[in-house]
C-alpha cells in the first residue's frame, strides 16, 4: 500500500501523519483517538461522520480521503467545548432533549453548526431540508429540529 | 402519595453531556492495547448452498494473519439460537413449541446471504479484511425459498432435521388455561354474524437501522475469564447464553455493556458475541475487536418478522364484535432465533377488543432470508395493521362511528383479562380517544375534507391499541437492584439496566433519588457491569420502568427502612413516625430532635466507641438496600393515533400531514423522554407502513442494502407530531408509571391505512403502501379519471 505524509490540524492541534493512500479521514480521526466522530455507514448516507473544515463547512469524513485533507483545519465534535463551556449548539441539544442513543448526535451537532454558519436565520422548513443527510432512528427528528431552532435563537442572542 | 419532587420532571438525561461531546464510549471507541482484529467471512453470493470446500491456504499466507477459525474448530462448542425464549419461557412451554438451538458459529450449510463460514484473526482490521478476500469457497447451490409456500413444499431441502417440513414454529395449544389466546366457538360465531370480513394481508420485512453498527471486543484473560464488551440490550442473558454456548462457568464470564447506539430489538439476545468470543478463546490473552460493517448489518443482523396474515372477523349489524379468526404465517429466515413472535402477535391481538369468540393460530416457516428476530412491538405492529383496517371497513360500510365503536368495544379494567391473560387494573382508552379527537380536531377535519375536488385528496384515519408494560406472566420478569449508601449520604445503585437511548438510566436515577429523598446529583447508577450487577433480563417488552423501576424503588425503600431503624433506635421512637427532609431525620412531634443522615451513615462505617461511655452512637455497619423484584401484574398502556394524509391521485404520492398520538402511560417519570420515545416510534411506524421493506432478488440476495435504497422517514417526511400524555391512575408501576417503549411504533401504520381509505376509498393488503401500489390501485379501479385527462 502506498503511503502519504500529511499534516492535519485537528481541533487546533497539529498532527504529522503517515497514512495509507486509501485511508479515509474518518479512519485516521478514529485511529488517533478522535472517536467522537462515528462510523455509521461508510458510504456517505447517514451523516454520523460529519466534521467541519475551517470551522464552517461540513464534510463527510467517511467519503474524504485523508491524503486529500492534507493541510486542512478540521473541527470534530471533540473540539467544540472551550474552557469547560459547551458550544451553544451542544447546549441546545441537551436542553431540548434532542439526544437519545447519541450515535447520530456528533454528526447532527456538526451539521447544525454548518447550517447556522451558512444561514444564521433558517426557517424550520429549511432546517429540515438541510438535515436530510443526517439520519436519526431514535427521535423522529422532532426534538432535533427544535434544538436547531433553539440554537439559532440563542446564537442570535434571543431565546424562544 | 406525597408530592413528587423529581419524578415527573423533564430533567436532562444523565448521559446527555458525554454523548453531546463525543466522549461516550461505544464499543468501537474502546481501544485495547495490542488488540487483534476479527473478520467474519460470509457467503455473499448465495442465499442457500452447501459448502463443498473451504480452502484457507491462501488466506493463511496473507500478512498479519494470526489464526483462521473454520467450522471444525468450533465443533467442540454447542450450537445455539440468538433468541432468549430458552431462558424467558418455562421448559414445559419450550417443549410444546419445540424450542431449538440449531445455529453453529460457522456453518457448512448456508441458509441466507451473509451466513458465516469462518473467522479471520489478524493484526489489523485491514489485514483481516484482505485475508478474508483470499478464502476460497466451493459451493453446491441449493434451491432458494423466499416464501413460506416454497419452503414448506414436501420436496424442499430441510433446514434442520429437528423441524420437519421447515416449520420452525407452530403456535402451541393446550398448555395454557382456557381463554388464554383462544376461546368460544369460531364456527358458531361466524354462523351468528351478520357481517363477515376476510382478507389476506402481507406485512413487510423491516430493518432496525440502528445508527451504530454492531461492534465487540472479547479477551480471554490469564485468570481464565472471558471478558466481553458489547452493546447488547440484554447483558445478563448474554452472559447466560455464552455460558451455555461455550460451557464456561458464569464466574468466568464478564459482560461489559457499552453505550448503546440504538437497539429497537436488534441487540436482543446474541448477535456477534459468539464469533468474537470463539476468536478470543482461540488466542488466549489477546483482545479481539470485531466490527460489523453497515453492509454486514443488513445481511447478518435480524429483522422484523414478515409474512402473511389471514384475518377473518364477524360482526353483528350494530357492530358487535362476534368472532375473530386469524392465521399468521411468518417467514422465519434461515434460523430459528425468536420462534415465538407469532404467538405474541396473537396475545396482543387478543388484548384489544371484546370479541365473543377468538382464535389465533400461526406458524413460522424457514426461508432463505436474513433471520427474523425481535423488533420494537414484537408482533403487535403486524397484527394491528391488519385488524384496525378491517374494523374501519366494517365501520365505513355500516355507517357506525369509528370512535364510538372503539370506545364501546375495547377491553376494560377489572375482570376482563387483556391479551396477556391477566386482568388489567385500569384502562384509559376512553380518555385517550376523547383527548385525541379533541387535540387532532377529528370532527373538524372530517367536515373540511367532506367536499374535496382536484387531484390531491386528504383523508383522516385513526386506530386504538394496547401494548404490554412487561412480559409477565407469559415471559420471565425479574430485576435485582442494590443500593449502597455511602458515608457522605450519597448512593450508588447497582442494576443491570439497559438504556438503548430511551432515557432509562435517567428515569431510574430519578426514581432512586425520589425514593431516597436525595437529589439527582447524589445518586449514581452503575450499569453494564456483570460482576457488580446481579440479574436483570434486559431491555425488551417495554418493561424496564415497570420491573426494573420498581426493583430500584424497592431497593431504595429497603435502604431507607434500615436508615429509619437506626435513627429510631437512637431517638427512641417508632421508626414509622420518622420523616426525612434535607437529609435530617426527625419526628413531627419533636422536630428539634434530629438525626443527621450523613452522620448516621458515616459513623456506621467509621464506627468507634465513645471514649466516655464506650458506646457506639449508632448501630454499626454500612447500609445496602436490595430488591429481587418479580412483578405480579402487567397493566398495559392504551394508545390512539390520528393522522391526516394527502394523496396525489395523479402520482400515487402520499404525504403525512399531521399525527396526533395519545398514550395512557400513567405517570411519566420523565415526560420529555416519553415524548421522544413516541416521536421516534412514530418515525419507525410510518416507515413500516409506507416506505420500509427489504427487497430480495429471485436468488435471495438483498437488493436495497443501503440507506439510499431502503427508505426511512427523514426530517422532511415527518408530519407535525402532537404527543398527548394521559395520566390515569396506575396502582402497580413505580410512581404510577406504565411501559411506553414500543407503543409508538405500533400505532401510525393502521391510522395511515385508514386515512388513505378515507382519502381515496381504497384499502391495501400489502404494506408498505408505496406510491406505486397506490397509483396502480387508483388506475385499476378507474378512480379520479377526470383528473388525469
Amino acid at each position: 500500500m502506498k503511503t502519504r505524509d500529511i499534516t492535519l490540524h485537528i481541533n487546533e492541534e497539529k498532527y504529522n501523519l503517515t497514512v495509507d493512500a486509501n485511508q479515509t479521514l474518518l479512519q485516521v480521526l478514529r485511529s488517533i483517538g478522535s472517536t467522537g466522530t462515528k462510523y455509521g455507514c461508510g458510504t456517505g448516507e447517514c451523516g454520523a461522520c460529519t466534521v467541519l473544515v475551517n470551522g464552517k463547512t461540513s464534510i463527510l469524513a467517511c467519503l474524504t480521503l485523508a491524503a486529500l485533507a492534507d493541510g486542512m483545519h478540521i473541527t470534530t465534535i471533540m473540539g467544540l467545548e472551550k474552557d469547560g463551556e459547551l458550544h451553544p449548539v451542544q447546549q441546545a441539544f441537551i436542553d431540548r432533549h434532542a439526544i437519545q442513543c447519541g450515535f447520530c448526535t456528533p454528526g447532527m451537532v456538526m451539521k447544525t453548526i454548518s447550517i447556522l454558519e451558512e444561514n444564521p436565520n433558517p426557517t424550520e422548513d429549511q432546517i429540515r431540508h438541510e438535515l436530510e443527510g443526517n439520519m436519526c432512528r431514535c427521535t423522529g427528528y422532532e426534538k432535533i429540529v427544535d434544538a436547531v431552532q433553539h440554537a439559532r435563537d440563542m446564537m442570535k442572542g434571543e431565546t424562544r | 402519595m406525597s408530592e413528587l419532587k423529581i419524578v415527573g420532571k423533564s430533567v436532562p438525561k444523565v448521559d446527555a453531556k458525554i454523548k453531546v461531546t463525543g466522549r461516550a464510549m461505544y464499543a468501537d471507541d474502546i481501544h485495547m492495547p495490542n488488540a487483534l482484529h476479527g473478520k467474519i467471512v460470509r457467503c455473499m453470493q448465495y442465499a442457500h448452498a452447501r459448502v463443498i470446500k473451504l480452502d484457507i491456504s491462501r488466506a493463511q499466507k496473507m500478512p498479519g494473519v494470526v489464526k483462521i477459525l473454520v467450522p471444525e474448530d468450533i465443533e467442540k462448542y454447542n450450537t445455539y439460537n440468538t433468541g432468549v425464549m430458552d431462558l424467558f419461557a418455562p421448559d414445559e412451554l419450550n417443549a410444546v413449541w419445540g424450542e431449538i438451538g440449531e445455529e453453529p458459529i460457522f456453518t457448512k450449510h448456508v441458509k441466507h446471504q451473509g451466513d458465516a463460514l469462518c473467522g479471520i484473526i489478524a493484526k489489523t482490521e485491514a489485514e483481516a479484511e484482505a485475508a478474508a478476500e483470499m478464502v476460497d469457497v466451493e459451493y453446491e447451490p441449493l434451491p432458494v425459498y423466499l416464501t413460506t409456500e416454497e419452503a414448506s413444499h414436501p420436496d424442499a431441502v430441510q433446514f434442520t432435521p429437528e423441524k420437519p417440513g421447515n416449520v420452525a414454529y407452530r403456535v402451541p395449544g393446550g398448555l395454557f388455561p382456557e381463554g388464554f389466546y383462544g376461546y368460544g366457538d369460531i364456527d358458531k360465531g361466524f354462523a351468528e354474524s351478520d357481517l363477515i370480513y376476510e382478507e389476506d394481508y402481507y406485512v413487510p420485512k423491516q430493518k432496525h437501522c440502528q445508527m451504530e453498527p454492531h461492534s465487540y471486543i472479547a479477551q480471554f484473560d490469564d485468570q481464565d475469564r472471558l471478558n466481553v464488551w458489547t452493546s447488547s440490550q440484554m447483558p445478563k442473558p448474554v452472559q447466560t447464553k455464552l455460558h451455555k454456548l461455550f460451557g464456561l462457568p458464569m464466574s468466568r464470564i464478564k459482560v461489559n455493556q457499552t453505550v448503546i447506539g440504538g437497539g429497537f430489538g436488534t441487540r436482543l439476545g446474541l448477535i456477534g458475541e459468539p464469533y468474537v468470543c470463539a476468536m478470543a478463546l482461540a488466542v488466549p490473552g489477546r483482545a479481539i475487536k470485531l466490527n460489523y460493517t453497515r453492509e454486514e448489518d443488513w445481511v447478518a443482523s435480524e429483522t422484523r418478522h414478515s409474512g402473511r396474515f389471514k384475518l377473518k372477523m364477524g360482526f353483528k349489524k350494530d357492530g358487535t364484535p362476534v368472532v375473530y379468526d386469524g392465521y399468521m404465517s411468518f417467514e422465519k429466515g434461515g434460523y430459528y432465533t425468536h420462534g415465538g413472535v407469532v404467538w405474541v402477535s396473537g396475545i396482543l391481538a387478543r388484548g384489544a377488543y371484546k370479541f365473543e369468540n377468538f382464535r389465533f393460530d400461526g406458524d413460522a416457516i424457514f426461508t432463505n432470508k436474513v433471520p427474523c428476530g425481535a423488533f420494537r412491538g414484537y408482533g403487535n405492529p403486524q397484527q394491528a395493521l391488519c385488524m384496525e383496517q378491517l374494523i374501519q371497513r366494517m365501520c365505513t360500510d355500516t355507517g357506525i362511528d369509528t370512535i364510538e365503536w372503539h370506545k364501546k368495544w375495547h377491553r376494560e379494567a377489572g375482570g376482563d383479562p387483556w391479551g396477556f391473560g391477566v386482568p388489567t387494573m385500569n384502562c384509559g382508552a376512553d380518555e385517550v380517544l376523547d383527548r385525541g379527537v379533541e387535540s387532532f380536531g377529528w370532527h373538524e377535519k372530517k367536515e373540511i375534507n367532506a367536499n374535496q375536488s382536484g387531484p390531491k385528496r386528504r383523508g383522516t384515519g385513526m386506530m386504538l391499541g394496547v401494548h404490554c408494560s412487561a412480559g409477565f406472566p407469559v415471559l420471565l420478569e425479574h430485576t435485582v437492584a442494590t443500593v449502597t449508601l455511602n458515608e457522605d449520604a450519597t448512593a450508588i445503585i447497582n442494576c443491570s439496566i439497559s438504556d438503548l437511548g430511551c432515557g432509562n438510566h435517567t428515569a431510574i436515577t430519578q426514581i432512586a433519588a425520589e425514593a431516597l429523598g436525595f437529589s439527582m446529583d447524589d445518586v449514581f447508577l452503575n450499569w453494564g457491569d456483570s460482576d457488580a450487577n446481579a440479574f436483570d433480563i434486559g431491555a425488551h417488552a417495554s418493561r424496564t420502568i415497570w420491573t426494573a423501576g420498581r426493583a430500584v424503588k424497592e431497593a431504595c425503600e429497603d435502604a431507607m427502612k434500615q436508615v429509619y431503624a437506626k435513627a429510631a433506635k437512637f431517638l427512641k421512637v417508632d421508626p414509622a413516625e420518622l420523616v426525612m427532609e434535607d437529609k435530617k431525620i426527625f419526628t413531627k412531634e419533636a422536630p428539634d430532635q434530629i438525626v443527621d443522615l450523613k452522620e448516621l451513615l458515616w459513623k456506621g462505617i467509621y464506627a468507634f466507641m465513645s471514649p466516655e461511655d464506650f458506646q457506639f452512637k449508632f448501630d454499626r455497619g454500612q447500609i445496602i438496600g436490595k430488591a429481587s423484584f418479580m412483578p405480579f401484574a402487567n397493566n398495559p398502556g392504551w394508545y390512539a393515533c390520528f393522522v391526516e394524509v394527502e394523496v396525489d391521485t395523479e402520482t400515487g404520492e402520499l404525504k403525512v400531514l399531521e399525527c396526533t398520538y395519545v398514550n395512557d402511560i400513567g405517570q411519566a417519570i420523565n415526560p420529555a423522554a416519553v415524548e421522544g420515545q413516541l416521536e421516534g416510534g412514530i418515525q419507525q411506524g410510518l416507515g413500516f407502513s409506507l416506505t420500509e421493506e427489504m427487497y430480495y432478488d429471485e436468488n435471495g440476495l438483498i437488493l436495497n442494502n443501503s440507506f439510499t435504497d431502503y427508505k426511512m422517514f427523514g426530517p422532511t417526511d415527518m408530519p407535525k407530531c402532537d404527543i398527548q400524555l394521559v395520566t390515569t391512575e396506575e396502582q402497580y408501576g413505580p410512581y404510577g408509571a406504565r411501559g411506553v417503549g414500543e407503543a409508538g411504533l405500533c400505532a401510525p401504520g393502521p391510522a395511515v391505512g385508514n386515512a388513505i381509505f378515507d382519502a381515496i376509498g381504497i384499502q391495501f393488503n400489502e404494506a408498505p403502501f408505496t406510491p406505486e401500489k397506490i397509483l396502480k390501485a387508483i388506475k385499476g379501479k378507474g378512480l379520479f379519471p377526470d383528473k388525469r385527462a
Side-chain angles (χ1 to χ4, degrees):
Chain A
M1 179 62 62
K2 279 186 183 168
T3 60
R4 285 276 298 273
D5 293 331
I6 63 168
T7 302
L8 292 176
H9 305 269
I10 299 163
N11 299 328
E12 294 169 16
E13 268 186 59
K14 189 177 170 187
Y15 290 82
N16 294 317
L17 301 162
T18 301
V19 300
D20 290 341
N22 68 351
Q23 260 189 309
T24 64
L25 178 59
L26 176 63
Q27 288 168 329
V28 169
L29 284 173
R30 293 187 58 80
S31 72
I32 59 168
S34 201
T35 52
T37 306
K38 302 300 181 197
Y39 166 89
C41 67
T43 46
E45 293 166 298
C46 78
C49 65
T50 306
V51 295
L52 298 183
V53 178
N54 296 330
K56 285 183 181 177
T57 313
S58 65
I59 59 165
L60 297 171
C62 80
L63 291 187
T64 307
L65 285 175
L68 293 178
D70 187 15
M72 282 186 186
H73 289 256
I74 306 287
T75 311
T76 77
I77 190 74
M78 294 178 119
L80 289 182
E81 195 183 19
K82 295 273 185 284
D83 305 322
E85 284 277 312
L86 294 179
H87 189 283
V89 173
Q90 289 175 305
Q91 194 59 50
F93 270 64
I94 294 178
D95 293 346
R96 294 304 165 109
H97 304 274
I99 303 161
Q100 287 196 29
C101 87
F103 203 77
C104 76
T105 305
M108 285 285 180
V109 167
M110 302 317 281
K111 182 70 189 178
T112 300
I113 293 172
S114 77
I115 293 170
L116 297 176
E117 280 287 343
E118 190 130 315
N119 174 8
N121 198 22
T123 62
E124 181 186 334
D125 226 31
Q126 288 170 327
I127 290 166
R128 286 182 180 270
H129 274 95
E130 289 289 337
L131 288 178
E132 268 294 342
N134 287 69
M135 291 186 176
C136 168
R137 189 58 154 169
C138 295
T139 64
Y141 303 96
E142 284 289 300
K143 298 204 183 318
I144 290 175
V145 172
D146 187 33
V148 177
Q149 290 176 280
H150 184 51
R152 171 197 67 194
D153 297 345
M154 280 202 299
M155 288 164 79
K156 283 194 303 183
E158 30 178 291
T159 312
R160 279 186 302 156
Chain B
M1 195 186 293
S2 58
E3 205 183 313
L4 298 172
K5 294 190 174 72
I6 298 166
V7 161
K9 308 267 189 299
S10 292
V11 301
K13 294 219 169 101
V14 292
D15 53 0
K17 190 170 178 183
I18 60 162
K19 286 176 174 175
V20 86
T21 53
R23 294 196 282 260
M25 296 297 271
Y26 300 84
D28 187 30
D29 301 334
I30 298 167
H31 289 280
M32 303 285 283
N34 208 17
L36 299 171
H37 292 262
K39 183 77 195 167
I40 299 169
V41 178
R42 301 182 183 281
C43 172
M44 294 304 286
Q45 63 270 51
Y46 293 107
H48 201 192
R50 265 184 234 291
V51 176
I52 304 296
K53 195 173 151 200
L54 183 79
D55 182 357
I56 58 169
S57 54
R58 285 200 304 150
Q60 272 173 324
K61 290 177 196 138
M62 291 293 286
V65 170
V66 174
K67 203 161 205 168
I68 299 179
L69 292 183
V70 296
E72 286 71 21
D73 294 318
I74 50 91
E75 274 167 7
K76 60 190 170 196
Y77 303 129
N78 293 314
T79 55
Y80 67 102
N81 73 39
T82 60
V84 287
M85 286 292 181
D86 57 330
L87 304 175
F88 289 7
D91 292 345
E92 297 86 338
L93 196 49
N94 280 321
V96 168
W97 63 48
E99 177 83 1
I100 58 166
E102 87 288 23
E103 194 164 343
I105 296 172
F106 297 116
T107 189
K108 292 177 175 177
H109 180 174
V110 173
K111 295 176 182 174
H112 64 89
Q113 184 191 20
D115 219 346
L117 305 176
C118 66
I120 313 276
I121 304 169
K123 285 181 181 159
T124 69
E125 195 164 27
E127 286 169 336
E129 280 167 7
E133 297 289 321
M134 293 295 150
V135 173
D136 297 303
V137 191
E138 242 176 72
Y139 297 98
E140 176 203 344
L142 295 170
V144 174
Y145 310 123
L146 297 179
T147 66
T148 55
E149 291 78 16
E150 291 164 1
S152 52
H153 190 275
D155 298 334
V157 176
Q158 297 297 289
F159 279 58
T160 166
E162 294 171 289
K163 293 288 182 181
N166 290 332
V167 180
Y169 182 90
R170 187 84 176 74
V171 169
L175 187 74
F176 289 112
E178 195 184 344
F180 192 85
Y181 61 89
Y183 55 84
D185 185 330
I186 302 305
D187 294 338
K188 192 161 156 275
F190 283 116
E192 289 171 357
S193 296
D194 301 322
L195 305 159
I196 294 174
Y197 290 90
E198 187 173 9
E199 287 295 342
D200 192 355
Y201 292 97
Y202 182 78
V203 287
K205 195 170 178 70
Q206 185 183 24
K207 191 80 190 79
H208 306 77
C209 298
Q210 81 294 346
M211 294 317 300
E212 180 205 9
H214 304 300
S215 286
Y216 309 90
I217 300 170
Q219 181 187 34
F220 190 60
D221 71 19
D222 294 330
Q223 290 181 293
D224 292 341
R225 290 196 104 204
L226 181 61
N227 302 279
V228 192
W229 285 259
T230 168
S231 55
S232 169
Q233 61 190 81
M234 288 193 167
K236 297 298 283 191
V238 161
Q239 187 187 14
T240 316
K241 297 236 9 159
L242 292 175
H243 155 71
K244 288 174 72 175
L245 173 57
F246 293 107
L248 290 168
M250 297 282 287
S251 59
R252 288 288 172 268
I253 301 170
K254 181 174 185 192
V255 176
N256 306 275
Q257 188 190 39
T258 59
V259 176
I260 301 174
F264 320 117
T266 189
R267 306 188 202 271
L268 200 159
L270 296 174
I271 317 151
E273 292 90 347
Y275 306 97
V276 74
C277 290
M279 290 175 186
L281 288 165
V283 193
R286 298 292 294 272
I288 310 277
K289 182 173 255 191
L290 177 67
N291 291 332
Y292 279 34
T293 61
R294 178 57 65 180
E295 188 184 17
E296 286 180 283
D297 191 87
W298 285 102
V299 295
S301 157
E302 291 160 8
T303 70
R304 184 181 296 290
H305 282 68
S306 54
R308 306 216 77 89
F309 186 36
K310 281 177 90 71
L311 180 58
K312 188 176 174 186
M313 298 196 283
F315 302 88
K316 292 279 191 197
K317 276 194 201 107
D318 66 355
T320 303
V322 183
V323 56
Y324 176 111
D325 189 17
Y327 195 102
M328 183 82 85
S329 188
F330 278 137
E331 298 158 353
K332 189 73 224 91
Y335 291 99
Y336 179 82
T337 64
H338 295 251
V341 172
V342 59
W343 169 64
V344 178
S345 252
I347 288 170
L348 292 161
R350 157 85 174 70
Y353 304 113
K354 292 187 241 179
F355 280 91
E356 290 167 14
N357 307 279
F358 184 92
R359 179 166 69 186
F360 191 97
D361 207 344
D363 54 36
I365 311 289
F366 286 123
T367 55
N368 294 117
K369 293 182 179 176
V370 178
C372 301
F375 193 152
R376 200 177 197 176
Y378 210 80
N380 203 0
Q382 291 98 316
Q383 69 78 21
L385 184 65
C386 310
M387 174 171 68
E388 289 290 321
Q389 290 194 85
L390 216 43
I391 289 171
Q392 180 58 53
R393 192 186 313 167
M394 184 276 298
C395 288
T396 304
D397 286 353
T398 54
I400 292 170
D401 184 296
T402 188
I403 305 288
E404 292 308 316
W405 189 93
H406 282 89
K407 269 194 185 175
K408 189 167 178 184
W409 296 111
H410 68 73
R411 292 193 182 277
E412 291 171 63
D416 185 20
W418 75 284
F420 277 46
V422 284
T424 174
M425 294 173 180
N426 37 54
C427 171
D430 289 347
E431 212 178 323
V432 158
L433 287 164
D434 286 340
R435 178 84 73 87
V437 164
E438 194 199 324
S439 187
F440 181 73
W442 174 255
H443 297 299
E444 295 81 352
K445 284 193 171 68
K446 285 272 180 217
E447 228 166 84
I448 294 167
N449 291 342
N451 296 303
Q452 296 185 70
S453 58
K456 291 188 177 174
R457 297 297 173 95
R458 291 186 174 192
T460 53
M462 61 79 63
M463 65 83 71
L464 179 71
V466 62
H467 200 84
C468 58
S469 285
F472 176 85
V474 297
L475 298 176
L476 181 74
E477 269 304 335
H478 191 188
T479 296
V480 183
T482 62
V483 179
T484 305
L485 297 188
N486 298 320
E487 53 270 40
D488 67 342
T490 61
I492 301 294
I493 316 292
N494 257 297
C495 190
S496 180
I497 291 166
S498 301
D499 189 335
L500 283 60
C502 320
N504 288 327
H505 291 163
T506 307
I508 292 293
T509 307
Q510 286 179 265
I511 287 171
E514 188 77 53
L516 291 167
F518 289 11
S519 71
M520 289 276 286
D521 291 341
D522 285 342
V523 179
F524 188 81
L525 172 67
N526 181 48
W527 51 272
D529 174 341
S530 73
D531 286 350
N533 302 153
F535 188 74
D536 167 66
I537 66 176
H540 85 139
S542 304
R543 52 83 58 185
T544 302
I545 293 300
W546 185 260
T547 305
R550 249 194 81 160
V552 167
K553 181 168 180 275
E554 293 197 358
C556 292
E557 287 164 354
D558 180 44
M560 289 312 293
K561 198 174 152 194
Q562 297 176 51
V563 165
Y564 288 131
K566 279 194 187 194
K569 198 169 172 189
F570 176 77
L571 292 171
K572 299 190 175 58
V573 296
D574 180 353
E577 291 171 27
L578 290 171
V579 292
M580 186 173 85
E581 269 173 34
D582 298 329
K583 297 184 180 172
K584 305 276 188 264
I585 301 162
F586 52 90
T587 64
K588 291 245 159 84
E589 286 68 39
D592 53 335
Q593 301 284 307
I594 290 168
V595 169
D596 180 73
L597 177 68
K598 183 178 165 186
E599 190 193 3
L600 178 141
L601 296 170
W602 192 285
K603 289 189 173 166
I605 291 169
Y606 299 105
F608 306 102
M609 282 184 285
S610 156
E612 285 154 24
D613 59 5
F614 295 99
Q615 297 290 313
F616 295 98
K617 186 169 180 183
F618 302 106
D619 279 354
R620 288 178 293 166
Q622 183 164 19
I623 291 178
I624 299 175
K626 66 175 177 9
S628 179
F629 180 67
M630 306 179 90
F632 210 79
N634 185 354
N635 295 338
W638 289 81
Y639 48 89
C641 186
F642 299 76
V643 300
E644 182 172 34
V645 301
E646 184 177 80
V647 181
D648 187 332
T649 60
E650 293 178 331
T651 63
E653 279 174 300
L654 182 143
K655 181 93 187 144
V656 184
L657 303 171
E658 274 185 54
C659 176
T660 292
Y661 185 100
V662 196
N663 202 330
D664 166 29
I665 57 156
Q667 167 71 55
I669 305 294
N670 186 320
V674 171
E675 284 170 20
Q677 281 304 286
L678 296 172
E679 288 157 358
I682 288 169
Q683 189 264 5
Q684 296 177 354
L686 289 173
F688 173 63
S689 53
L690 290 173
T691 60
E692 294 184 34
E693 180 173 16
M694 287 172 71
Y695 297 108
Y696 286 81
D697 71 9
E698 67 274 18
N699 297 316
L701 308 183
I702 302 170
L703 289 168
N704 56 339
N705 56 347
S706 73
F707 291 144
T708 302
D709 295 330
Y710 181 94
K711 171 63 183 161
M712 291 181 276
F713 261 58
T716 56
D717 306 311
M718 282 296 289
K720 182 171 153 267
C721 288
D722 165 31
I723 305 293
Q724 300 282 329
L725 304 182
V726 170
T727 52
T728 52
E729 190 191 358
E730 166 57 50
Q731 304 89 327
Y732 199 86
Y735 295 108
R738 287 194 275 277
V740 72
E742 295 166 285
L745 196 152
C746 306
V752 161
N754 292 338
I756 296 172
F757 185 41
D758 186 46
I760 59 171
I762 304 173
Q763 285 193 320
F764 293 87
N765 288 12
E766 300 210 351
F769 314 135
T770 57
E772 291 84 351
K773 288 176 192 166
I774 293 173
L775 188 61
K776 196 176 161 196
I778 288 173
K779 281 184 174 170
K781 289 189 188 287
L783 295 174
F784 312 104
D786 52 323
K787 303 294 177 286
R788 289 197 312 279

